[in-house]
Amino acid sequence: FMIGLSGGFSHCISMCHPFVLLISARYPQAGYKILIPQIQYNLGRILTYTFLGLIIGQINLLPYRKALIITAGVLLIIIAVLTVAGKHIPLPASVMKFFGDMQRIKSPFVMGIILGFLPCGMVLSALVASSAESSALYSALSMTFFGMGTSAALLLLALFGGVILKYMPVAKWVFLAIILYKGCMLIYKGIFIL
């Protein structure tokens, strides 16, 4: 959950805010009602993440648990360093075209399901970490909690977009520090505890 939450504020808001803004523009509501389509969108993403966790949990990766935990930690550190540098790993143009053309999708829930498959370093690191869980159920739950963490940041963005984006440069450093810490702890766990 904490990886999702800190990643949500440092990475997801900067990468996924166009989708949040698209939903807000499509469903202009006042007050708390603005959250209804945003919750639908995030439930779609969480469903996809849970499904991916369930699938990866079906593969018996326990013999590789140590390497997977270390890999997840390294991925988190790479994401934090790239975010600080203002860089990202570019996706192929065809992938960007497919995921960038979300205006044709009318349902926020379906949009969330589809965008849950968007190749993303944070999702990949969470999947790698969840693959080291002891069962498919725990892998799925791990991804569910990751999705809930990222959703908190995106829901707050929907409610307080201008304020959040204004203070993001400062807050991003705090959350990047948390991601670096989590990455280092995963590496430590993989090397010394497992």
Side-chain angles (χ1 to χ4, degrees), residues 4 8 12 16 19-20 38-52 108-117 123 143-144 146-152 154-155:
C12 300
C16 297
F19 304 117
V20 173
Q38 299 292 344
I39 289 170
Q40 293 169 345
Y41 165 69
N42 282 289
L43 285 174
R45 287 176 44 256
I46 292 169
L47 181 66
T48 299
Y49 296 161
T50 303
F51 170 75
L52 292 172
F109 181 70
V110 173
M111 185 187 297
I113 289 172
I114 293 169
L115 287 172
F117 289 102
V123 175
M143 289 305 294
T144 300
F146 168 78
M148 290 168 63
T150 61
S151 295
L154 296 179
L155 288 171

PDB file of all heavy atoms in Angstrom, residues 4 8 12 16 19-20 38-52 108-117 123 143-144 146-152 154-155:
ATOM      1  N   GLY A   4       2.410   1.962  -3.313  1.00  0.00           N
ATOM      2  CA  GLY A   4       1.394   2.546  -4.180  1.00  0.00           C
ATOM      3  C   GLY A   4       1.103   3.989  -3.828  1.00  0.00           C
ATOM      4  O   GLY A   4       0.984   4.852  -4.701  1.00  0.00           O
ATOM      5  N   GLY A   8       2.089   6.873  -6.068  1.00  0.00           N
ATOM      6  CA  GLY A   8       0.955   7.639  -6.581  1.00  0.00           C
ATOM      7  C   GLY A   8       1.221   9.128  -6.558  1.00  0.00           C
ATOM      8  O   GLY A   8       0.903   9.846  -7.506  1.00  0.00           O
ATOM      9  N   CYS A  12       2.625   8.592 -10.314  1.00  0.00           N
ATOM     10  CA  CYS A  12       1.334   8.444 -10.994  1.00  0.00           C
ATOM     11  C   CYS A  12       0.669   9.788 -11.293  1.00  0.00           C
ATOM     12  O   CYS A  12       0.082   9.958 -12.359  1.00  0.00           O
ATOM     13  CB  CYS A  12       0.379   7.580 -10.179  1.00  0.00           C
ATOM     14  SG  CYS A  12       0.991   5.914  -9.887  1.00  0.00           S
ATOM     15  N   CYS A  16      -0.228  10.098 -14.952  1.00  0.00           N
ATOM     16  CA  CYS A  16      -1.626   9.724 -15.210  1.00  0.00           C
ATOM     17  C   CYS A  16      -2.613  10.870 -15.065  1.00  0.00           C
ATOM     18  O   CYS A  16      -3.812  10.671 -15.250  1.00  0.00           O
ATOM     19  CB  CYS A  16      -2.037   8.586 -14.280  1.00  0.00           C
ATOM     20  SG  CYS A  16      -1.081   7.084 -14.555  1.00  0.00           S
ATOM     21  N   PHE A  19      -5.480  11.428 -17.659  1.00  0.00           N
ATOM     22  CA  PHE A  19      -6.661  10.564 -17.614  1.00  0.00           C
ATOM     23  C   PHE A  19      -7.644  11.035 -16.541  1.00  0.00           C
ATOM     24  O   PHE A  19      -8.854  11.028 -16.740  1.00  0.00           O
ATOM     25  CB  PHE A  19      -6.258   9.103 -17.376  1.00  0.00           C
ATOM     26  CG  PHE A  19      -5.285   8.590 -18.404  1.00  0.00           C
ATOM     27  CD1 PHE A  19      -4.016   8.191 -18.030  1.00  0.00           C
ATOM     28  CD2 PHE A  19      -5.630   8.536 -19.743  1.00  0.00           C
ATOM     29  CE1 PHE A  19      -3.113   7.724 -18.975  1.00  0.00           C
ATOM     30  CE2 PHE A  19      -4.734   8.081 -20.698  1.00  0.00           C
ATOM     31  CZ  PHE A  19      -3.467   7.669 -20.311  1.00  0.00           C
ATOM     32  N   VAL A  20      -7.108  11.456 -15.399  1.00  0.00           N
ATOM     33  CA  VAL A  20      -7.958  11.984 -14.328  1.00  0.00           C
ATOM     34  C   VAL A  20      -8.670  13.242 -14.810  1.00  0.00           C
ATOM     35  O   VAL A  20      -9.875  13.420 -14.595  1.00  0.00           O
ATOM     36  CB  VAL A  20      -7.119  12.267 -13.052  1.00  0.00           C
ATOM     37  CG1 VAL A  20      -7.948  12.970 -11.997  1.00  0.00           C
ATOM     38  CG2 VAL A  20      -6.537  10.966 -12.506  1.00  0.00           C
ATOM     39  N   GLN A  38     -14.481   9.016 -10.858  1.00  0.00           N
ATOM     40  CA  GLN A  38     -13.077   8.757 -10.516  1.00  0.00           C
ATOM     41  C   GLN A  38     -12.942   7.444  -9.738  1.00  0.00           C
ATOM     42  O   GLN A  38     -11.982   6.693  -9.949  1.00  0.00           O
ATOM     43  CB  GLN A  38     -12.498   9.921  -9.705  1.00  0.00           C
ATOM     44  CG  GLN A  38     -12.486  11.248 -10.420  1.00  0.00           C
ATOM     45  CD  GLN A  38     -11.515  11.306 -11.589  1.00  0.00           C
ATOM     46  OE1 GLN A  38     -10.624  10.474 -11.717  1.00  0.00           O
ATOM     47  NE2 GLN A  38     -11.679  12.292 -12.439  1.00  0.00           N
ATOM     48  N   ILE A  39     -13.887   7.184  -8.851  1.00  0.00           N
ATOM     49  CA  ILE A  39     -13.873   5.911  -8.110  1.00  0.00           C
ATOM     50  C   ILE A  39     -14.080   4.758  -9.077  1.00  0.00           C
ATOM     51  O   ILE A  39     -13.405   3.716  -8.986  1.00  0.00           O
ATOM     52  CB  ILE A  39     -14.931   5.915  -6.985  1.00  0.00           C
ATOM     53  CG1 ILE A  39     -14.491   6.873  -5.865  1.00  0.00           C
ATOM     54  CG2 ILE A  39     -15.172   4.515  -6.437  1.00  0.00           C
ATOM     55  CD1 ILE A  39     -15.552   7.143  -4.818  1.00  0.00           C
ATOM     56  N   GLN A  40     -14.984   4.912 -10.041  1.00  0.00           N
ATOM     57  CA  GLN A  40     -15.203   3.864 -11.046  1.00  0.00           C
ATOM     58  C   GLN A  40     -13.918   3.599 -11.825  1.00  0.00           C
ATOM     59  O   GLN A  40     -13.541   2.435 -12.036  1.00  0.00           O
ATOM     60  CB  GLN A  40     -16.328   4.274 -12.000  1.00  0.00           C
ATOM     61  CG  GLN A  40     -17.684   4.337 -11.337  1.00  0.00           C
ATOM     62  CD  GLN A  40     -18.734   4.991 -12.224  1.00  0.00           C
ATOM     63  OE1 GLN A  40     -18.415   5.637 -13.222  1.00  0.00           O
ATOM     64  NE2 GLN A  40     -19.990   4.821 -11.853  1.00  0.00           N
ATOM     65  N   TYR A  41     -13.249   4.662 -12.225  1.00  0.00           N
ATOM     66  CA  TYR A  41     -11.985   4.533 -12.959  1.00  0.00           C
ATOM     67  C   TYR A  41     -10.943   3.782 -12.128  1.00  0.00           C
ATOM     68  O   TYR A  41     -10.293   2.853 -12.601  1.00  0.00           O
ATOM     69  CB  TYR A  41     -11.480   5.928 -13.337  1.00  0.00           C
ATOM     70  CG  TYR A  41     -10.043   5.992 -13.773  1.00  0.00           C
ATOM     71  CD1 TYR A  41      -9.624   5.440 -14.975  1.00  0.00           C
ATOM     72  CD2 TYR A  41      -9.083   6.616 -12.976  1.00  0.00           C
ATOM     73  CE1 TYR A  41      -8.301   5.497 -15.368  1.00  0.00           C
ATOM     74  CE2 TYR A  41      -7.762   6.687 -13.363  1.00  0.00           C
ATOM     75  CZ  TYR A  41      -7.380   6.126 -14.560  1.00  0.00           C
ATOM     76  OH  TYR A  41      -6.055   6.192 -14.946  1.00  0.00           O
ATOM     77  N   ASN A  42     -10.812   4.171 -10.872  1.00  0.00           N
ATOM     78  CA  ASN A  42      -9.812   3.539 -10.010  1.00  0.00           C
ATOM     79  C   ASN A  42     -10.177   2.104  -9.667  1.00  0.00           C
ATOM     80  O   ASN A  42      -9.296   1.251  -9.543  1.00  0.00           O
ATOM     81  CB  ASN A  42      -9.585   4.381  -8.756  1.00  0.00           C
ATOM     82  CG  ASN A  42      -8.708   5.571  -9.056  1.00  0.00           C
ATOM     83  OD1 ASN A  42      -7.520   5.431  -9.294  1.00  0.00           O
ATOM     84  ND2 ASN A  42      -9.290   6.765  -9.092  1.00  0.00           N
ATOM     85  N   LEU A  43     -11.463   1.800  -9.532  1.00  0.00           N
ATOM     86  CA  LEU A  43     -11.868   0.408  -9.309  1.00  0.00           C
ATOM     87  C   LEU A  43     -11.495  -0.456 -10.512  1.00  0.00           C
ATOM     88  O   LEU A  43     -11.088  -1.614 -10.354  1.00  0.00           O
ATOM     89  CB  LEU A  43     -13.370   0.317  -9.022  1.00  0.00           C
ATOM     90  CG  LEU A  43     -13.801   0.775  -7.632  1.00  0.00           C
ATOM     91  CD1 LEU A  43     -15.334   0.772  -7.520  1.00  0.00           C
ATOM     92  CD2 LEU A  43     -13.195  -0.096  -6.541  1.00  0.00           C
ATOM     93  N   GLY A  44     -11.626   0.103 -11.708  1.00  0.00           N
ATOM     94  CA  GLY A  44     -11.202  -0.626 -12.908  1.00  0.00           C
ATOM     95  C   GLY A  44      -9.717  -0.929 -12.887  1.00  0.00           C
ATOM     96  O   GLY A  44      -9.287  -2.053 -13.183  1.00  0.00           O
ATOM     97  N   ARG A  45      -8.901   0.058 -12.501  1.00  0.00           N
ATOM     98  CA  ARG A  45      -7.451  -0.155 -12.400  1.00  0.00           C
ATOM     99  C   ARG A  45      -7.124  -1.197 -11.343  1.00  0.00           C
ATOM    100  O   ARG A  45      -6.309  -2.087 -11.570  1.00  0.00           O
ATOM    101  CB  ARG A  45      -6.739   1.170 -12.054  1.00  0.00           C
ATOM    102  CG  ARG A  45      -6.677   2.154 -13.197  1.00  0.00           C
ATOM    103  CD  ARG A  45      -6.040   3.495 -12.802  1.00  0.00           C
ATOM    104  NE  ARG A  45      -4.859   3.362 -11.996  1.00  0.00           N
ATOM    105  CZ  ARG A  45      -4.792   3.583 -10.679  1.00  0.00           C
ATOM    106  NH1 ARG A  45      -5.855   3.966 -10.019  1.00  0.00           N
ATOM    107  NH2 ARG A  45      -3.677   3.440 -10.036  1.00  0.00           N
ATOM    108  N   ILE A  46      -7.781  -1.088 -10.180  1.00  0.00           N
ATOM    109  CA  ILE A  46      -7.520  -2.042  -9.094  1.00  0.00           C
ATOM    110  C   ILE A  46      -7.892  -3.460  -9.532  1.00  0.00           C
ATOM    111  O   ILE A  46      -7.175  -4.421  -9.221  1.00  0.00           O
ATOM    112  CB  ILE A  46      -8.268  -1.627  -7.809  1.00  0.00           C
ATOM    113  CG1 ILE A  46      -7.657  -0.339  -7.250  1.00  0.00           C
ATOM    114  CG2 ILE A  46      -8.242  -2.735  -6.765  1.00  0.00           C
ATOM    115  CD1 ILE A  46      -8.473   0.311  -6.138  1.00  0.00           C
ATOM    116  N   LEU A  47      -9.003  -3.595 -10.255  1.00  0.00           N
ATOM    117  CA  LEU A  47      -9.411  -4.914 -10.747  1.00  0.00           C
ATOM    118  C   LEU A  47      -8.334  -5.502 -11.661  1.00  0.00           C
ATOM    119  O   LEU A  47      -7.979  -6.684 -11.541  1.00  0.00           O
ATOM    120  CB  LEU A  47     -10.752  -4.806 -11.488  1.00  0.00           C
ATOM    121  CG  LEU A  47     -11.300  -6.116 -12.043  1.00  0.00           C
ATOM    122  CD1 LEU A  47     -11.666  -7.074 -10.915  1.00  0.00           C
ATOM    123  CD2 LEU A  47     -12.525  -5.843 -12.914  1.00  0.00           C
ATOM    124  N   THR A  48      -7.802  -4.684 -12.560  1.00  0.00           N
ATOM    125  CA  THR A  48      -6.742  -5.164 -13.456  1.00  0.00           C
ATOM    126  C   THR A  48      -5.500  -5.541 -12.672  1.00  0.00           C
ATOM    127  O   THR A  48      -4.902  -6.597 -12.909  1.00  0.00           O
ATOM    128  CB  THR A  48      -6.396  -4.094 -14.513  1.00  0.00           C
ATOM    129  OG1 THR A  48      -7.558  -3.830 -15.290  1.00  0.00           O
ATOM    130  CG2 THR A  48      -5.271  -4.556 -15.425  1.00  0.00           C
ATOM    131  N   TYR A  49      -5.086  -4.701 -11.721  1.00  0.00           N
ATOM    132  CA  TYR A  49      -3.896  -5.008 -10.924  1.00  0.00           C
ATOM    133  C   TYR A  49      -4.089  -6.305 -10.138  1.00  0.00           C
ATOM    134  O   TYR A  49      -3.174  -7.122 -10.034  1.00  0.00           O
ATOM    135  CB  TYR A  49      -3.564  -3.866  -9.958  1.00  0.00           C
ATOM    136  CG  TYR A  49      -3.190  -2.559 -10.609  1.00  0.00           C
ATOM    137  CD1 TYR A  49      -3.257  -1.375  -9.900  1.00  0.00           C
ATOM    138  CD2 TYR A  49      -2.771  -2.490 -11.930  1.00  0.00           C
ATOM    139  CE1 TYR A  49      -2.916  -0.159 -10.478  1.00  0.00           C
ATOM    140  CE2 TYR A  49      -2.439  -1.278 -12.512  1.00  0.00           C
ATOM    141  CZ  TYR A  49      -2.513  -0.124 -11.782  1.00  0.00           C
ATOM    142  OH  TYR A  49      -2.172   1.073 -12.356  1.00  0.00           O
ATOM    143  N   THR A  50      -5.282  -6.488  -9.583  1.00  0.00           N
ATOM    144  CA  THR A  50      -5.573  -7.715  -8.828  1.00  0.00           C
ATOM    145  C   THR A  50      -5.502  -8.925  -9.745  1.00  0.00           C
ATOM    146  O   THR A  50      -4.926  -9.962  -9.388  1.00  0.00           O
ATOM    147  CB  THR A  50      -6.962  -7.614  -8.164  1.00  0.00           C
ATOM    148  OG1 THR A  50      -6.986  -6.452  -7.325  1.00  0.00           O
ATOM    149  CG2 THR A  50      -7.271  -8.840  -7.329  1.00  0.00           C
ATOM    150  N   PHE A  51      -6.080  -8.798 -10.932  1.00  0.00           N
ATOM    151  CA  PHE A  51      -6.038  -9.874 -11.922  1.00  0.00           C
ATOM    152  C   PHE A  51      -4.593 -10.215 -12.283  1.00  0.00           C
ATOM    153  O   PHE A  51      -4.210 -11.390 -12.327  1.00  0.00           O
ATOM    154  CB  PHE A  51      -6.832  -9.462 -13.172  1.00  0.00           C
ATOM    155  CG  PHE A  51      -6.665 -10.388 -14.332  1.00  0.00           C
ATOM    156  CD1 PHE A  51      -7.298 -11.621 -14.347  1.00  0.00           C
ATOM    157  CD2 PHE A  51      -5.885 -10.024 -15.422  1.00  0.00           C
ATOM    158  CE1 PHE A  51      -7.135 -12.476 -15.424  1.00  0.00           C
ATOM    159  CE2 PHE A  51      -5.720 -10.871 -16.500  1.00  0.00           C
ATOM    160  CZ  PHE A  51      -6.352 -12.102 -16.500  1.00  0.00           C
ATOM    161  N   LEU A  52      -3.774  -9.188 -12.535  1.00  0.00           N
ATOM    162  CA  LEU A  52      -2.372  -9.427 -12.871  1.00  0.00           C
ATOM    163  C   LEU A  52      -1.640 -10.109 -11.710  1.00  0.00           C
ATOM    164  O   LEU A  52      -0.822 -11.012 -11.929  1.00  0.00           O
ATOM    165  CB  LEU A  52      -1.680  -8.111 -13.237  1.00  0.00           C
ATOM    166  CG  LEU A  52      -2.139  -7.459 -14.542  1.00  0.00           C
ATOM    167  CD1 LEU A  52      -1.526  -6.066 -14.687  1.00  0.00           C
ATOM    168  CD2 LEU A  52      -1.789  -8.327 -15.733  1.00  0.00           C
ATOM    169  N   PRO A 108     -15.838   5.168 -17.349  1.00  0.00           N
ATOM    170  CA  PRO A 108     -14.610   5.328 -16.548  1.00  0.00           C
ATOM    171  C   PRO A 108     -14.099   3.983 -16.017  1.00  0.00           C
ATOM    172  O   PRO A 108     -12.886   3.777 -15.931  1.00  0.00           O
ATOM    173  CB  PRO A 108     -15.042   6.233 -15.392  1.00  0.00           C
ATOM    174  CG  PRO A 108     -16.303   6.872 -15.806  1.00  0.00           C
ATOM    175  CD  PRO A 108     -16.942   5.956 -16.806  1.00  0.00           C
ATOM    176  N   PHE A 109     -15.013   3.074 -15.685  1.00  0.00           N
ATOM    177  CA  PHE A 109     -14.621   1.762 -15.170  1.00  0.00           C
ATOM    178  C   PHE A 109     -13.847   0.981 -16.237  1.00  0.00           C
ATOM    179  O   PHE A 109     -12.778   0.422 -15.969  1.00  0.00           O
ATOM    180  CB  PHE A 109     -15.861   0.990 -14.716  1.00  0.00           C
ATOM    181  CG  PHE A 109     -15.566  -0.372 -14.146  1.00  0.00           C
ATOM    182  CD1 PHE A 109     -14.943  -0.507 -12.928  1.00  0.00           C
ATOM    183  CD2 PHE A 109     -15.926  -1.514 -14.844  1.00  0.00           C
ATOM    184  CE1 PHE A 109     -14.665  -1.761 -12.394  1.00  0.00           C
ATOM    185  CE2 PHE A 109     -15.665  -2.770 -14.316  1.00  0.00           C
ATOM    186  CZ  PHE A 109     -15.030  -2.895 -13.100  1.00  0.00           C
ATOM    187  N   VAL A 110     -14.375   0.959 -17.461  1.00  0.00           N
ATOM    188  CA  VAL A 110     -13.707   0.250 -18.559  1.00  0.00           C
ATOM    189  C   VAL A 110     -12.373   0.923 -18.882  1.00  0.00           C
ATOM    190  O   VAL A 110     -11.367   0.242 -19.134  1.00  0.00           O
ATOM    191  CB  VAL A 110     -14.623   0.184 -19.806  1.00  0.00           C
ATOM    192  CG1 VAL A 110     -13.881  -0.385 -21.012  1.00  0.00           C
ATOM    193  CG2 VAL A 110     -15.871  -0.633 -19.508  1.00  0.00           C
ATOM    194  N   MET A 111     -12.345   2.255 -18.843  1.00  0.00           N
ATOM    195  CA  MET A 111     -11.097   2.976 -19.062  1.00  0.00           C
ATOM    196  C   MET A 111     -10.053   2.552 -18.020  1.00  0.00           C
ATOM    197  O   MET A 111      -8.894   2.321 -18.345  1.00  0.00           O
ATOM    198  CB  MET A 111     -11.325   4.486 -18.990  1.00  0.00           C
ATOM    199  CG  MET A 111     -10.084   5.298 -19.340  1.00  0.00           C
ATOM    200  SD  MET A 111     -10.266   7.084 -19.082  1.00  0.00           S
ATOM    201  CE  MET A 111     -11.544   7.471 -20.231  1.00  0.00           C
ATOM    202  N   GLY A 112     -10.476   2.424 -16.765  1.00  0.00           N
ATOM    203  CA  GLY A 112      -9.566   1.994 -15.708  1.00  0.00           C
ATOM    204  C   GLY A 112      -9.051   0.584 -15.935  1.00  0.00           C
ATOM    205  O   GLY A 112      -7.860   0.305 -15.738  1.00  0.00           O
ATOM    206  N   ILE A 113      -9.947  -0.320 -16.372  1.00  0.00           N
ATOM    207  CA  ILE A 113      -9.527  -1.697 -16.658  1.00  0.00           C
ATOM    208  C   ILE A 113      -8.455  -1.704 -17.739  1.00  0.00           C
ATOM    209  O   ILE A 113      -7.414  -2.352 -17.606  1.00  0.00           O
ATOM    210  CB  ILE A 113     -10.734  -2.568 -17.080  1.00  0.00           C
ATOM    211  CG1 ILE A 113     -11.643  -2.830 -15.878  1.00  0.00           C
ATOM    212  CG2 ILE A 113     -10.273  -3.882 -17.696  1.00  0.00           C
ATOM    213  CD1 ILE A 113     -12.951  -3.524 -16.222  1.00  0.00           C
ATOM    214  N   ILE A 114      -8.699  -0.962 -18.820  1.00  0.00           N
ATOM    215  CA  ILE A 114      -7.739  -0.935 -19.932  1.00  0.00           C
ATOM    216  C   ILE A 114      -6.424  -0.284 -19.504  1.00  0.00           C
ATOM    217  O   ILE A 114      -5.343  -0.821 -19.762  1.00  0.00           O
ATOM    218  CB  ILE A 114      -8.346  -0.200 -21.144  1.00  0.00           C
ATOM    219  CG1 ILE A 114      -9.511  -1.008 -21.708  1.00  0.00           C
ATOM    220  CG2 ILE A 114      -7.292   0.038 -22.222  1.00  0.00           C
ATOM    221  CD1 ILE A 114     -10.350  -0.279 -22.726  1.00  0.00           C
ATOM    222  N   LEU A 115      -6.507   0.854 -18.824  1.00  0.00           N
ATOM    223  CA  LEU A 115      -5.285   1.558 -18.425  1.00  0.00           C
ATOM    224  C   LEU A 115      -4.511   0.814 -17.346  1.00  0.00           C
ATOM    225  O   LEU A 115      -3.324   1.079 -17.138  1.00  0.00           O
ATOM    226  CB  LEU A 115      -5.612   2.978 -17.982  1.00  0.00           C
ATOM    227  CG  LEU A 115      -5.986   3.917 -19.132  1.00  0.00           C
ATOM    228  CD1 LEU A 115      -6.483   5.253 -18.597  1.00  0.00           C
ATOM    229  CD2 LEU A 115      -4.813   4.117 -20.068  1.00  0.00           C
ATOM    230  N   GLY A 116      -5.153  -0.127 -16.667  1.00  0.00           N
ATOM    231  CA  GLY A 116      -4.429  -0.960 -15.714  1.00  0.00           C
ATOM    232  C   GLY A 116      -3.352  -1.800 -16.384  1.00  0.00           C
ATOM    233  O   GLY A 116      -2.398  -2.228 -15.749  1.00  0.00           O
ATOM    234  N   PHE A 117      -3.499  -2.020 -17.699  1.00  0.00           N
ATOM    235  CA  PHE A 117      -2.513  -2.789 -18.462  1.00  0.00           C
ATOM    236  C   PHE A 117      -1.419  -1.904 -19.060  1.00  0.00           C
ATOM    237  O   PHE A 117      -0.521  -2.408 -19.729  1.00  0.00           O
ATOM    238  CB  PHE A 117      -3.206  -3.571 -19.592  1.00  0.00           C
ATOM    239  CG  PHE A 117      -4.042  -4.709 -19.103  1.00  0.00           C
ATOM    240  CD1 PHE A 117      -5.424  -4.587 -19.044  1.00  0.00           C
ATOM    241  CD2 PHE A 117      -3.472  -5.906 -18.699  1.00  0.00           C
ATOM    242  CE1 PHE A 117      -6.219  -5.636 -18.601  1.00  0.00           C
ATOM    243  CE2 PHE A 117      -4.248  -6.958 -18.254  1.00  0.00           C
ATOM    244  CZ  PHE A 117      -5.627  -6.832 -18.200  1.00  0.00           C
ATOM    245  N   VAL A 123       4.003  -0.216 -11.668  1.00  0.00           N
ATOM    246  CA  VAL A 123       3.192  -1.443 -11.699  1.00  0.00           C
ATOM    247  C   VAL A 123       4.103  -2.658 -11.851  1.00  0.00           C
ATOM    248  O   VAL A 123       3.916  -3.676 -11.179  1.00  0.00           O
ATOM    249  CB  VAL A 123       2.145  -1.390 -12.835  1.00  0.00           C
ATOM    250  CG1 VAL A 123       1.385  -2.711 -12.937  1.00  0.00           C
ATOM    251  CG2 VAL A 123       1.176  -0.236 -12.621  1.00  0.00           C
ATOM    252  N   MET A 143      -1.318  -6.753  -4.972  1.00  0.00           N
ATOM    253  CA  MET A 143      -1.597  -5.823  -6.073  1.00  0.00           C
ATOM    254  C   MET A 143      -2.854  -4.995  -5.806  1.00  0.00           C
ATOM    255  O   MET A 143      -2.941  -3.843  -6.233  1.00  0.00           O
ATOM    256  CB  MET A 143      -1.713  -6.592  -7.393  1.00  0.00           C
ATOM    257  CG  MET A 143      -0.388  -7.145  -7.890  1.00  0.00           C
ATOM    258  SD  MET A 143       0.910  -5.890  -8.070  1.00  0.00           S
ATOM    259  CE  MET A 143       0.248  -4.894  -9.409  1.00  0.00           C
ATOM    260  N   THR A 144      -3.819  -5.571  -5.095  1.00  0.00           N
ATOM    261  CA  THR A 144      -5.016  -4.806  -4.724  1.00  0.00           C
ATOM    262  C   THR A 144      -4.628  -3.629  -3.835  1.00  0.00           C
ATOM    263  O   THR A 144      -5.057  -2.494  -4.063  1.00  0.00           O
ATOM    264  CB  THR A 144      -6.029  -5.705  -3.981  1.00  0.00           C
ATOM    265  OG1 THR A 144      -6.413  -6.776  -4.839  1.00  0.00           O
ATOM    266  CG2 THR A 144      -7.260  -4.922  -3.566  1.00  0.00           C
ATOM    267  N   PHE A 146      -1.679  -2.252  -3.579  1.00  0.00           N
ATOM    268  CA  PHE A 146      -0.899  -1.322  -4.393  1.00  0.00           C
ATOM    269  C   PHE A 146      -1.842  -0.385  -5.156  1.00  0.00           C
ATOM    270  O   PHE A 146      -1.661   0.834  -5.155  1.00  0.00           O
ATOM    271  CB  PHE A 146      -0.006  -2.096  -5.374  1.00  0.00           C
ATOM    272  CG  PHE A 146       0.620  -1.231  -6.426  1.00  0.00           C
ATOM    273  CD1 PHE A 146       1.716  -0.441  -6.137  1.00  0.00           C
ATOM    274  CD2 PHE A 146       0.100  -1.200  -7.717  1.00  0.00           C
ATOM    275  CE1 PHE A 146       2.281   0.369  -7.109  1.00  0.00           C
ATOM    276  CE2 PHE A 146       0.657  -0.397  -8.691  1.00  0.00           C
ATOM    277  CZ  PHE A 146       1.761   0.390  -8.385  1.00  0.00           C
ATOM    278  N   GLY A 147      -2.856  -0.952  -5.793  1.00  0.00           N
ATOM    279  CA  GLY A 147      -3.825  -0.149  -6.534  1.00  0.00           C
ATOM    280  C   GLY A 147      -4.574   0.829  -5.648  1.00  0.00           C
ATOM    281  O   GLY A 147      -4.838   1.970  -6.038  1.00  0.00           O
ATOM    282  N   MET A 148      -4.915   0.391  -4.432  1.00  0.00           N
ATOM    283  CA  MET A 148      -5.596   1.296  -3.495  1.00  0.00           C
ATOM    284  C   MET A 148      -4.689   2.473  -3.129  1.00  0.00           C
ATOM    285  O   MET A 148      -5.150   3.608  -3.015  1.00  0.00           O
ATOM    286  CB  MET A 148      -6.028   0.521  -2.251  1.00  0.00           C
ATOM    287  CG  MET A 148      -7.155  -0.458  -2.522  1.00  0.00           C
ATOM    288  SD  MET A 148      -7.451  -1.621  -1.167  1.00  0.00           S
ATOM    289  CE  MET A 148      -7.942  -0.529   0.141  1.00  0.00           C
ATOM    290  N   GLY A 149      -3.398   2.205  -2.954  1.00  0.00           N
ATOM    291  CA  GLY A 149      -2.455   3.279  -2.629  1.00  0.00           C
ATOM    292  C   GLY A 149      -2.349   4.296  -3.748  1.00  0.00           C
ATOM    293  O   GLY A 149      -2.385   5.504  -3.507  1.00  0.00           O
ATOM    294  N   THR A 150      -2.238   3.810  -5.000  1.00  0.00           N
ATOM    295  CA  THR A 150      -2.146   4.753  -6.121  1.00  0.00           C
ATOM    296  C   THR A 150      -3.460   5.509  -6.298  1.00  0.00           C
ATOM    297  O   THR A 150      -3.461   6.680  -6.676  1.00  0.00           O
ATOM    298  CB  THR A 150      -1.783   4.040  -7.437  1.00  0.00           C
ATOM    299  OG1 THR A 150      -2.793   3.083  -7.767  1.00  0.00           O
ATOM    300  CG2 THR A 150      -0.430   3.358  -7.351  1.00  0.00           C
ATOM    301  N   SER A 151      -4.572   4.856  -6.004  1.00  0.00           N
ATOM    302  CA  SER A 151      -5.884   5.489  -6.166  1.00  0.00           C
ATOM    303  C   SER A 151      -6.067   6.666  -5.223  1.00  0.00           C
ATOM    304  O   SER A 151      -6.712   7.660  -5.587  1.00  0.00           O
ATOM    305  CB  SER A 151      -7.005   4.466  -5.937  1.00  0.00           C
ATOM    306  OG  SER A 151      -6.959   3.476  -6.932  1.00  0.00           O
ATOM    307  N   ALA A 152      -5.518   6.567  -4.026  1.00  0.00           N
ATOM    308  CA  ALA A 152      -5.648   7.668  -3.064  1.00  0.00           C
ATOM    309  C   ALA A 152      -5.083   8.958  -3.656  1.00  0.00           C
ATOM    310  O   ALA A 152      -5.709  10.020  -3.574  1.00  0.00           O
ATOM    311  CB  ALA A 152      -4.938   7.315  -1.759  1.00  0.00           C
ATOM    312  N   LEU A 154      -4.660   9.695  -6.878  1.00  0.00           N
ATOM    313  CA  LEU A 154      -5.433  10.139  -8.040  1.00  0.00           C
ATOM    314  C   LEU A 154      -6.795  10.704  -7.642  1.00  0.00           C
ATOM    315  O   LEU A 154      -7.296  11.632  -8.282  1.00  0.00           O
ATOM    316  CB  LEU A 154      -5.580   8.996  -9.038  1.00  0.00           C
ATOM    317  CG  LEU A 154      -4.246   8.507  -9.655  1.00  0.00           C
ATOM    318  CD1 LEU A 154      -4.501   7.343 -10.613  1.00  0.00           C
ATOM    319  CD2 LEU A 154      -3.506   9.628 -10.345  1.00  0.00           C
ATOM    320  N   LEU A 155      -7.396  10.178  -6.578  1.00  0.00           N
ATOM    321  CA  LEU A 155      -8.670  10.730  -6.100  1.00  0.00           C
ATOM    322  C   LEU A 155      -8.465  12.127  -5.508  1.00  0.00           C
ATOM    323  O   LEU A 155      -9.285  13.022  -5.721  1.00  0.00           O
ATOM    324  CB  LEU A 155      -9.310   9.793  -5.078  1.00  0.00           C
ATOM    325  CG  LEU A 155      -9.888   8.493  -5.651  1.00  0.00           C
ATOM    326  CD1 LEU A 155     -10.288   7.539  -4.527  1.00  0.00           C
ATOM    327  CD2 LEU A 155     -11.063   8.772  -6.569  1.00  0.00           C
TER     328      LEU A 155
END
